[in-house]
């Protein structure tokens, strides 16, 4: 029973921490443009287990930190391809009838790919779009510790975790201010595969996968970009994130060549005729 409870505890840590924010409600950057960003997000949640093979109503406090480089590439004016690479760290704590359980992880490797598209733009700046993001995280150095009855046991766990997050959003470009507030909804489909040191393995998925999010884009200049975003599933799950980036226009017209002034032609002096 202890091991099954630990399995479920690790699952809860993993599946909530899988959603990289990715500034997901932002508008597309435009055809032929690149927007690299440095991004960070933090999430915290309380969970209650609902399972036939563990003690019900166990409370879990979970914290997740994601830090990554994201690249948005506009292949069309209304379609972006998205790639990200970075790391994640997770910690959790729970108290149950079996004692106190904690889990800490060294930084894990994280990568993801996705796309974003804009379906509609109005003349007043209103737009509607959507997209999807796939993220994979994995680690071979996840330590689960349980303390109870005067004993402390530590389990070494490895896992692979996957999420696919489709989303819909709407936003509004406010005139020439560079500000774009937006909001939307997404669904986090997730799977986590765990392998323990005695060759046991278990698969899990998220219990409450529907989230709402809201954020703000700000182009401080034509190229310098800032983003902040918050999200919640209205079920004790929440998070905040942000990023900073710089927009590159790969298709900008080349500067016109400098015009070389025509050479100055000195008048040719003819000798005076002798009459």
């Amino acid at each position: 029973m202890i091991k099954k409870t630990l399995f479920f505890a690790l699952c809860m840590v993993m599946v909530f921490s899988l959603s990289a924010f990715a500034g997901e409600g932002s508008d597309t950057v435009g055809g032929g443009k690149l927007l690299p960003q440095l991004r960070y997000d933090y999430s915290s949640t309380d969970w209650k287990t609902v399972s036939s093979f563990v003690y019900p109503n166990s409370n879990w406090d979970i914290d997740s930190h994601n830090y990554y480089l994201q690249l948005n590439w506009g292949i069309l004016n209304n379609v972006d391809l998205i790639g990200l690479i970075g790391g994640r760290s997770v910690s959790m704590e729970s108290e149950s009838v079996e004692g106190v359980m904690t889990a800490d992880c060294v930084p894990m490797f994280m990568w993801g790919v996705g796309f974003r598209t804009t379906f509609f733009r109005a003349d007043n700046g209103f737009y509607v779009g959507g997209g999807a993001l796939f993220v994979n995280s994995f680690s071979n150095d996840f330590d689960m510790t349980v303390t109870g009855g005067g004993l402390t046991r530590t389990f070494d766990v490895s896992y692979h975790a996957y999420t696919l997050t489709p989303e819909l959003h709407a936003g509004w470009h406010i005139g020439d201010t560079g500000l774009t507030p937006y909001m939307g909804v997404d669904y986090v489909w997730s799977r986590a595969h765990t392998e323990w040191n005695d060759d046991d393995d278990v698969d899990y998925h998220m219990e409450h996968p529907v989230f709402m999010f809201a954020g703000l884009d700000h182009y401080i200049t034509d190229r310098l970009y800032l983003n902040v975003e918050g999200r919640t599933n209205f079920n004790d799950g929440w998070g905040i994130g942000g990023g900073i980036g710089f927009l590159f226009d790969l298709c900008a017209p080349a500067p016109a060549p400098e015009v070389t002034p025509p050479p100055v032609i000195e008048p040719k002096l003819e000798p005076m005729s002798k009459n």
Side-chain angles (χ1 to χ4, degrees), residues 183-197:
M183 65 183 303
V185 61
D186 63 26
Y187 179 91
V188 184
W189 178 93
S190 61
R191 291 293 183 270
H193 179 77
T194 64
E195 295 181 357
W196 291 66
N197 52 10

Side-chain angles (χ1 to χ4, degrees), residues 17-24 41 66 68 84 88 110 133 135 163:
S17 65
L18 298 180
S19 301
F21 282 40
E24 58 189 331
D41 61 70
N66 301 323
Y68 52 96
L84 62 89
R88 169 178 289 124
M110 177 179 72
L133 181 68
V135 176
T163 61

Side-chain angles (χ1 to χ4, degrees), residues 17-24 35-41 66-73 81-88 108-116 132-138 163 165:
S17 65
L18 298 180
S19 301
F21 282 40
E24 58 189 331
L35 178 61
Q37 307 175 53
L38 290 175
R39 298 193 62 84
Y40 166 81
D41 61 70
N66 301 323
Y67 30 86
Y68 52 96
L69 171 66
Q70 177 178 318
L71 181 66
N72 290 45
W73 175 28
L81 296 182
I82 301 172
L84 62 89
I85 186 170
R88 169 178 289 124
M108 298 174 285
F109 183 73
M110 177 179 72
W111 64 272
V113 292
F115 74 94
R116 176 180 304 142
L133 181 68
F134 172 82
V135 176
N136 179 22
S137 302
F138 54 89
T163 61
T165 309

Side-chain angles (χ1 to χ4, degrees), residues 11-273:
C11 165
M12 300 307 293
V13 174
M14 290 186 299
V15 295
F16 182 78
S17 65
L18 298 180
S19 301
F21 282 40
E24 58 189 331
S26 307
D27 198 2
T28 50
V29 298
K33 296 181 180 180
L34 285 176
L35 178 61
Q37 307 175 53
L38 290 175
R39 298 193 62 84
Y40 166 81
D41 61 70
Y42 167 81
S43 59
S44 178
T45 187
D46 295 329
W47 288 83
K48 290 187 177 180
T49 61
V50 180
S51 173
S52 60
F53 61 89
V54 298
Y55 293 104
N57 302 319
S58 298
N59 296 316
W60 306 92
D61 297 322
I62 303 172
D63 297 309
S64 173
H65 301 266
N66 301 323
Y67 30 86
Y68 52 96
L69 171 66
Q70 177 178 318
L71 181 66
N72 290 45
W73 175 28
I75 59 173
L76 298 171
N77 283 334
N78 62 338
V79 178
D80 288 355
L81 296 182
I82 301 172
L84 62 89
I85 186 170
R88 169 178 289 124
S89 59
V90 176
S91 63
M92 62 84 67
E93 182 176 355
S94 175
E95 294 186 7
S96 69
V97 295
E98 296 185 356
V100 178
M101 289 175 286
T102 60
D104 293 292
C105 184
V106 298
M108 298 174 285
F109 183 73
M110 177 179 72
W111 64 272
V113 292
F115 74 94
R116 176 180 304 142
T117 184
T118 298
F119 310 132
F120 170 79
R121 286 192 182 96
D123 293 338
N124 64 357
F126 177 77
Y127 68 93
V128 179
L133 181 68
F134 172 82
V135 176
N136 179 22
S137 302
F138 54 89
S139 171
N140 294 320
D141 194 17
F142 205 110
D143 291 333
M144 177 71 73
T145 301
V146 59
T147 301
L151 298 176
T152 298
R153 301 176 63 190
T154 299
F155 298 86
D156 186 19
V157 179
S158 64
Y159 79 88
H160 281 75
Y162 312 90
T163 61
L164 178 62
T165 309
E167 56 90 10
L168 294 172
H169 60 264
W172 179 37
H173 299 294
I174 305 178
D176 297 328
T177 64
L179 296 172
T180 302
Y182 61 84
M183 65 183 303
V185 61
D186 63 26
Y187 179 91
V188 184
W189 178 93
S190 61
R191 291 293 183 270
H193 179 77
T194 64
E195 295 181 357
W196 291 66
N197 52 10
D198 57 0
D199 296 327
D200 289 329
D201 59 280
V202 180
D203 294 317
Y204 300 102
H205 66 276
M206 184 178 290
E207 282 190 289
H208 305 287
V210 179
F211 283 79
M212 291 194 66
F213 59 86
L216 179 70
D217 293 335
H218 186 198
Y219 276 95
I220 299 175
T221 67
D222 290 341
R223 298 188 180 273
L224 183 59
Y225 167 81
L226 291 176
N227 168 260
V228 293
E229 187 172 297
R231 55 193 284 112
T232 179
N233 63 3
F234 299 101
N235 194 60
D236 297 325
W238 66 275
I240 56 174
I244 182 170
F246 193 83
L247 183 68
F248 295 89
D249 192 346
L250 304 182
C251 298
E258 295 183 5
V259 178
T260 304
V264 178
I265 301 177
E266 299 289 341
K268 185 177 181 180
L269 298 178
E270 300 289 342
M272 297 177 64
S273 59

